[in-house]
């Protein structure tokens, strides 16, 4: 598979930080996102518009969105930023910021001149940085929705049934389509549930994936939230997804590394044709509703694996490793990226 491109969705700023108990400053979050953007990563999940009383760490995601929309790009390649949201209230909150600061609209459309205002030099924004972004440079924004393959997890995570979670997505999908915003949809606990055990029904996952694609999702991210996935279980799930008509081009896999199986499962998924994987720099994170589960597979380790197979991610491993070491230090936690630590020790 030489020259094959593997797409990485960096979820560290969202999945990685959402569960941190200490408050992390907005400046640190923004610096993390900017540093990641300079490593060659093409997609970064930057925050979530969920209820702050449930996940307080993500409460300032609108400021992060505003910053992304107003700051000239950190890389020459266009970067896609994703924001997670659970319901129409999350979309409304997202839209308030997106509408105000999306410079891909004409300046007049985004910031209409109030009647009677004398002509001004620059009416595009009060922020001097905003006028430096041309519409062509505007970052791409995507939305991520999330449901789960078991009723217990869905209740804990979003306080509703699986069917209700899909119902909540309908108006979000149609508004996202009308705004031409791509939508990815996560299916959590696909390889094991903290409340219902390790044997999630793969047919339930496939059924959900088909429904979400039919509703208009552009990509399905299948989440091993607990890290209970193994090579045989991953292979079995991918077989069932294929039989249900879910194509690998529409799939991403999202492994957490609780049992150290994430890279093994990644190899299985690569062999089944999957080409998009979620990962978190220095293995940050965990889900607040999956007790004991650790972070995602470390992005550094995933990049090293892909490189070792002769495929490419476009990510500079050395630069990424420095980011992993830096953010681990900022958070006062151990760097969980084996390849990252090895690269820095060379
Ligand atoms: P609820 O309490 O049932 O909602 O929460 P509600 O409609 O009754 O509202 C309660 C309060 O929250 C109200 O405020 C609402 O306005 C407010 P109050 O009147 O009390 O002042 N509210 C909101 N505020 C901001 N943004 C919103 C929002 N919605 C309501 N969007 C809800 C239901 C879904 C909102 C809640 O359960 C929630 O936010 N859940 C999110 C949990 C979460 O973020 N989990 C982690 C992300 S998923 C994950 O990590 C897995 C993944 O990585 C893949 C994998 O590994 O499997 C993606
Ligand atoms: Mg996750």
């Amino acid at each position: 598979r030489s020259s094959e491109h593997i797409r990485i969705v960096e979820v560290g700023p969202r999945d990685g930080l959402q569960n941190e108990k200490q408050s992390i400053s907005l400046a640190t979050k923004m610096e993390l996102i900017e540093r990641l953007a300079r490593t060659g990563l093409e997609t970064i999940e930057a925050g979530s518009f969920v209820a702050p009383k449930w996940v307080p760490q993500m409460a300032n995601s609108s400021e992060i969105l505003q910053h992304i929309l107003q700051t000239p790009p950190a890389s020459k390649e266009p970067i896609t930023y994703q924001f997670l949201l659970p319901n129409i209230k999350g979309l409304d909150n997202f839209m308030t910021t997106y509408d105000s600061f999306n410079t891909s609209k004409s300046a007049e459309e985004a910031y209409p001149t109030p009647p009677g205002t004398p002509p001004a030099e620059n009416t595009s924004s009060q922020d001097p940085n905003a006028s430096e972004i041309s519409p062509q440079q505007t970052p791409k924004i995507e939305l991520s929705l999330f449901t789960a393959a078991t009723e217990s997890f869905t209740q804990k995570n979003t306080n509703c049934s699986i069917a209700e979670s899909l119902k909540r997505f309908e108006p979000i999908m149609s508004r996202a389509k009308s705004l031409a915003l791509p939508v990815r949809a996560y299916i959590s606990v696909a390889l094991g549930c903290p409340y219902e055990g390790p044997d999630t029904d793969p047919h339930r996952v496939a059924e959900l994936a088909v429904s979400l694609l039919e509703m208009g999702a552009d990509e399905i991210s299948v989440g091993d939230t607990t890290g209970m996935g193994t090579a045989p279980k991953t292979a079995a799930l991918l077989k069932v997804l294929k039989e249900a008509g879910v194509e690998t081009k529409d799939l991403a896999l999202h492994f957490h590394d609780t049992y150290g199986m994430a890279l093994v499962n990644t190899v299985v998924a690569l062999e089944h044709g999957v080409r998009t994987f979620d990962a978190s720099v220095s293995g940050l994170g965990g889900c607040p509703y999956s007790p004991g589960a650790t972070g995602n597979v470390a992005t550094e380790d995933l990049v090293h694996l892909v490189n070792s197979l002769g495929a490419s991610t476009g990510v500079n491993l050395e630069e990424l490793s420095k980011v992993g070491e830096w953010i681990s230090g900022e958070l006062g936690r151990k760097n969980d990226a084996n390849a990252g630590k090895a690269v820095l020790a060379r």
Side-chain angles (χ1 to χ4, degrees):
R1 56 169 77 90
S2 65
S3 84
E4 265 220 71
H5 182 71
I6 304 301
R7 180 172 157 254
I8 294 182
V9 177
E10 168 60 52
V11 296
R14 194 278 305 167
D15 207 347
L17 299 187
Q18 69 183 6
N19 210 21
E20 285 289 324
K21 297 292 167 271
Q22 57 180 313
S23 106
I24 304 165
S25 75
L26 192 59
T28 302
K29 290 179 184 178
M30 287 173 184
E31 187 173 347
L32 174 63
I33 293 165
E34 283 182 8
R35 284 188 177 215
L36 289 168
R38 287 197 290 266
T39 66
L41 284 160
E42 52 198 302
T43 308
I44 300 174
E45 197 171 52
S48 66
F49 287 83
V50 296
K53 76 169 182 199
W54 288 61
V55 184
Q57 192 63 259
M58 292 286 107
N60 48 16
S61 291
S62 53
E63 277 122 302
I64 291 171
L65 173 61
Q66 175 181 340
H67 180 77
I68 286 169
L69 292 170
Q70 288 189 304
T71 309
S75 103
K76 285 203 187 75
E77 300 305 317
I79 292 181
T80 299
Y81 294 95
Q82 297 177 338
F83 286 86
L84 191 78
L85 39 96
N87 55 12
I88 200 77
K89 166 117 191 170
L91 181 68
D92 287 342
N93 291 345
F94 165 88
M95 284 310 301
T96 303
T97 303
Y98 185 73
D99 265 346
S100 309
F101 296 97
N102 180 14
T103 47
S104 68
K105 294 194 267 181
S106 72
E108 184 53 30
E109 200 188 331
Y111 305 97
T113 315
T117 309
E121 290 280 290
N122 174 13
T123 54
S124 69
S125 168
Q126 286 143 355
D127 186 309
N129 285 336
S131 58
E132 292 168 22
I133 310 178
S134 71
Q136 295 74 20
Q137 286 178 304
T138 306
K140 294 185 197 160
I141 304 291
E142 288 182 5
L143 305 177
S144 352
L145 306 178
F146 56 107
T147 184
T150 69
E151 290 295 346
S152 322
F153 188 84
T154 312
Q155 281 295 344
K156 293 271 188 198
N157 199 27
T158 47
N159 204 17
C160 67
S161 68
I162 298 172
E164 281 162 350
S165 73
L166 297 185
K167 266 250 142 323
R168 287 179 183 176
F169 295 166
E170 281 169 14
I172 302 177
M173 289 276 194
S174 55
R175 274 174 67 188
K177 293 287 152 198
S178 69
L179 293 157
L181 288 171
V183 176
R184 98 184 307 221
Y186 288 99
I187 303 173
S188 287
V189 297
L191 290 163
C193 172
Y195 313 106
E196 297 189 20
D199 299 317
T200 300
D201 179 3
H203 295 95
R204 188 78 187 97
V205 178
E207 218 176 272
L208 270 170
V210 169
S211 303
L212 290 162
L213 288 167
E214 281 172 2
M215 283 172 76
D218 297 284
E219 178 175 80
I220 305 296
S221 177
V222 175
D224 182 15
T225 319
T226 58
M228 290 178 193
T230 59
K233 278 166 68 175
T234 303
L237 174 58
L238 289 168
K239 182 166 173 274
V240 172
L241 283 163
K242 186 176 180 185
E243 284 163 3
V246 179
E247 296 181 55
T248 49
K249 72 171 177 50
D250 297 327
L251 270 186
L253 285 189
H254 176 106
F255 291 117
H256 283 259
D257 204 27
T258 317
Y259 292 81
M261 289 288 110
L263 287 184
V264 175
N265 298 339
T266 301
V267 172
V268 171
L270 283 165
E271 282 170 351
H272 282 75
V274 178
R275 293 293 176 264
T276 302
F277 295 89
D278 301 355
S280 174
V281 67
S282 77
L284 287 179
C287 176
Y289 301 98
S290 183
T294 63
N296 293 84
V297 60
T299 316
E300 297 91 316
D301 295 346
L302 179 61
V303 170
H304 178 65
L305 170 72
V306 171
N307 290 346
S308 77
L309 298 171
S312 69
T313 59
V315 177
N316 180 322
L317 181 54
E318 192 120 7
E319 288 307 310
L320 181 69
S321 300
K322 289 182 199 159
V323 182
E325 191 60 25
W326 166 77
I327 190 63
S328 300
E330 286 289 309
L331 301 177
R333 73 203 285 299
K334 127 176 146 358
N335 182 353
D336 279 334
N338 291 321
K341 285 182 289 191
V343 162
L344 295 177
R346 285 203 290 238

